[in-house]
Amino acid sequence: MANIQEVAKKAGVSVATVSRVLNNNPSVTPKTRLKVENAIRDLDYEPSMLGRNLRNSESRLLLVLIPSISNPFYSDIINGIQNTAIANNYNILLCETNSSPERENIYFNMVKNKLADGVISMDPTVNMEKLTELAENHSIILCSEYEEGGSIPYVTINHELAAYHAVKHLIKLGNQKIALINSDEKFLYARQRRNGYERALKEFGLPLREEWIYHTHQLDFQDGVQAMRMLLRLDEKPTAVFAVSDTLAIGALKEINVCGLKAPDDIAVVGFDNISFSNMTNPTLTTIAQPMYKMGCTAANMLISIIRRNKVESMVLDHELIIRESTMG
Amino acid sequence: MANIQEVAKKAGVSVATVSRVLNNNPSVTPKTRLKVENAIRDLDYEPSMLGRNLRNSESRLLLVLIPSISNPFYSDIINGIQNTAIANNYNILLCETNSSPERENIYFNMVKNKLADGVISMDPTVNMEKLTELAENHSIILCSEYEEGGSIPYVTINHELAAYHAVKHLIKLGNQKIALINSDEKFLYARQRRNGYERALKEFGLPLREEWIYHTHQLDFQDGVQAMRMLLRLDEKPTAVFAVSDTLAIGALKEINVCGLKAPDDIAVVGFDNISFSNMTNPTLTTIAQPMYKMGCTAANMLISIIRRNKVESMVLDHELIIRESTMG
DNA sequence: GTGAAAGCGCTAACAA
DNA sequence: TTGTTAGCGCTTTCAC
């Protein structure tokens, strides 16, 4: 592949002029520009990003930290990030941390190494201390999961309110005994969603029973199956379940089915996330939709703002309750 | 962030020595090494990949082209690629083409621009002509989808044989009227799977009827629903269906259910891909598993070989029929 | 409007 | 063993 020197020689100009043409500098005469453009075409020249990036000390690469690619929850957010990034001449590097600190370190180093210009973290297990330290000298945004009172700007939804809406929907349908399938409460969103659940119950004077709250280890389908199995073994069975993720809810639906029960007649189920499969289950799943795509766009725009040394404000976006068959048979 | 000069100054050595320490060059005395390491620590120095990459004219970044992140089919392949890449000190850039030629162009240019050292393409809609041209001067591997008689090395499975196994399984269960839900036959895998389907039917002397072959536009759940709807309207309904993707099969299952029928009693269903949700449906889905993770590792290893200017051979990996409830109620 | 030259941070050939 | 220096490909300042 030709370099800028060869183009300059072929066009009979200096490398500076070639560079000007490449960067659309208006001070080049049309005639010179033409000569250069011809040389570029003849030599099939493409400017090397390596040289350009070194000179400009930027990589135009954004890191997106997610725990796992296979979690469908992130798909639309990533689409939003990606489209926004490309529109601003950035590319994204999708980084799977597998919740492993070593992996995380590799990516943090890429930022320090100037191989990336900024980070959008969606990993709830991220080492917040290290990330905050990194944020002192680099551009970082939190997306979805964030830190209360932290110094890093974030974009998220109101998890407490969303959970409140989900549970209120179940109450309005006449359910009095409502269980919560929650994930580990070391995660902020889990604590917030539990708060919303409790607030709804209290507001309607419904009992709050510890045995109706099940904590799963992960967010997998099997954890939902297991959770539902335990809830169905109780003497006083719940008539409705709010699961903090669709995968858990789909697992719960499966177990309800296996036990010969029917949703929503015997037990109503609400999930969270509106993943694409939530519309394919039988019955289809009532769930809370986060504005994924918009959240991604917002996160990317915020990050690019920070990179440009502008001030940004954290944002809280709206959610939506999507009512389907699992509560309204 | 400090650069190599400042470290050299602080350690009282030359930049060459610092570089040697960074690259574990054995010719540095322990004493000097210690001085340098101290300086590095004191200044919190991290070498700039930008400088290093320009000098070595490599980016240590591999491009992975997929049509869409949200397709769960790719998750495990990507995991395999990623782990192999990281083990070899490469990182991967996940590139969603959305089957758009412009997007594709952006990524092709990244390779020409030296922003990436190679490409693994899993996009069945990729412009094979352009890719082949790119492959003349750059390192490219095809994964899963490939070109018959093409010049680019690939890793894949035997789609024809896999389809043959799936259909033979249905025949062995006593099914005589077997439908095929295929995707667009502009894709090689679709043509090959159809061949496998036909070979099985012929081998057992079963009728091959055009109205039992339905071509979908996409691979979405809804396309499966639509396909099944059409098949169930036929006068002579099939008793079994082989769908060339799990998402299609899950859509088919849904429609069977909606029509008050039961799988496998009324209609048996086999999918393809063994995506994680295929185990969560009701009934769970019989399907063909491709060795996703291994395929990813193999593709990455092949690519890295090519980058190192070694010869590589295309590979065909084994598949497996996973029998679940949708055929064996 | 265009060219010469410095320099981004690093590595490696060559010299000492 | 260590230092000096050229140069990877590009952009940009300063002259002209």
Side-chain angles (χ1 to χ4, degrees), chain B residues 2-125:
Chain B
N3 63 17
I4 200 172
Q5 309 263 14
E6 301 172 49
V7 175
K9 198 190 217 170
K10 173 121 189 165
V13 299
S14 73
V15 291
T17 302
V18 178
S19 177
R20 288 186 188 106
V21 171
L22 291 173
N23 294 286
N24 288 315
N25 186 318
S27 80
V28 184
T29 35
K31 202 173 135 194
T32 318
R33 177 177 298 276
L34 200 67
K35 278 196 298 183
V36 174
E37 280 165 351
N38 284 335
I40 288 175
R41 197 163 348 90
D42 289 353
L43 294 173
D44 208 16
Y45 166 77
E46 296 274 351
S48 157
M49 287 297 166
L50 252 35
R52 179 174 290 175
N53 291 347
L54 173 60
R55 172 64 217 219
N56 298 339
S57 71
E58 64 173 8
S59 64
R60 302 207 76 84
L61 225 46
L62 308 180
L63 257 40
V64 177
L65 261 47
I66 53 177
S68 154
I69 287 174
S70 53
N71 189 335
F73 168 73
Y74 298 105
S75 305
D76 273 345
I77 302 185
I78 293 168
N79 274 326
I81 296 176
Q82 181 146 0
N83 284 338
T84 307
I86 289 184
N88 287 279
N89 261 308
Y90 281 90
N91 263 292
I92 68 167
L93 189 53
L94 217 47
C95 305
E96 218 183 1
T97 62
N98 293 324
S99 300
S100 126
E102 301 94 66
R103 273 289 174 84
E104 205 176 271
N105 251 324
I106 294 180
Y107 298 122
F108 286 177
N109 277 333
M110 287 184 71
V111 181
K112 293 189 194 164
N113 288 339
K114 301 264 187 193
L115 251 194
D117 294 348
V119 177
I120 294 174
S121 171
M122 301 199 275
D123 186 356
T125 67

Side-chain angles (χ1 to χ4, degrees), chain A residues 53-69:
Chain A
N53 291 347
L54 173 60
R55 172 64 216 222
N56 297 340
S57 70
E58 62 173 11
S59 64
R60 301 206 78 84
L61 225 48
L62 307 181
L63 257 42
V64 177
L65 262 48
I66 53 176
S68 154
I69 288 174

Side-chain angles (χ1 to χ4, degrees), chain B residues 117-310:
Chain B
D117 294 348
V119 177
I120 294 174
S121 171
M122 301 199 275
D123 186 356
T125 67
V126 76
N127 182 332
M128 214 34 104
E129 211 173 315
K130 276 197 173 181
L131 196 65
T132 303
E133 191 193 318
L134 196 68
E136 287 170 19
N137 296 304
H138 301 277
S139 305
I140 318 268
I141 292 286
L142 296 172
C143 181
S144 181
E145 183 74 6
Y146 66 104
E147 194 192 24
E148 268 181 317
S151 59
I152 307 179
Y154 56 80
V155 51
T156 186
I157 60 160
N158 188 330
H159 294 283
E160 196 269 349
L161 187 62
Y164 170 82
H165 282 154
V167 175
K168 189 167 164 182
H169 167 66
L170 289 170
I171 295 172
K172 291 280 183 189
L173 291 171
N175 292 290
Q176 308 246 345
K177 305 175 191 173
I178 301 173
L180 170 68
I181 302 181
N182 204 357
S183 66
D184 196 319
E185 291 198 15
K186 73 182 169 197
F187 301 127
L188 177 61
Y189 78 87
R191 298 196 296 277
Q192 294 176 325
R193 291 182 195 174
R194 183 202 177 118
N195 288 342
Y197 162 81
E198 294 189 351
R199 174 154 72 94
L201 293 188
K202 281 183 195 142
E203 188 174 317
F204 289 87
L206 295 179
L208 216 146
R209 300 181 50 169
E210 268 308 317
E211 66 263 37
W212 287 343
I213 300 185
Y214 186 96
H215 291 98
T216 65
H217 194 54
Q218 307 261 24
L219 287 178
D220 294 332
F221 171 71
Q222 277 305 335
D223 296 295
V225 171
Q226 180 62 20
M228 199 66 226
R229 191 170 296 153
M230 300 311 275
L231 291 172
L232 289 177
R233 276 194 201 150
L234 296 175
D235 288 332
E236 186 126 25
K237 294 179 190 45
T239 63
V241 174
F242 168 48
V244 297
S245 101
D246 283 352
T247 42
L248 291 177
I250 292 171
L253 280 179
K254 175 85 183 177
E255 181 65 14
I256 288 170
N257 215 304
V258 163
C259 293
L261 299 173
K262 269 194 86 73
D265 305 350
D266 300 305
I267 300 192
V269 177
V270 178
F272 206 113
D273 287 347
N274 191 31
I275 64 175
S276 60
F277 269 91
S278 66
N279 201 17
M280 306 187 196
T281 51
N282 185 26
T284 53
L285 185 65
T286 293
T287 189
I288 296 277
Q290 305 190 42
M292 308 289 204
Y293 185 83
K294 189 176 169 195
M295 203 146 81
C297 296
T298 307
N301 278 322
M302 285 168 72
L303 181 57
I304 292 169
S305 281
I306 294 195
I307 291 173
R308 293 184 182 146
R309 314 223 161 279
N310 297 324

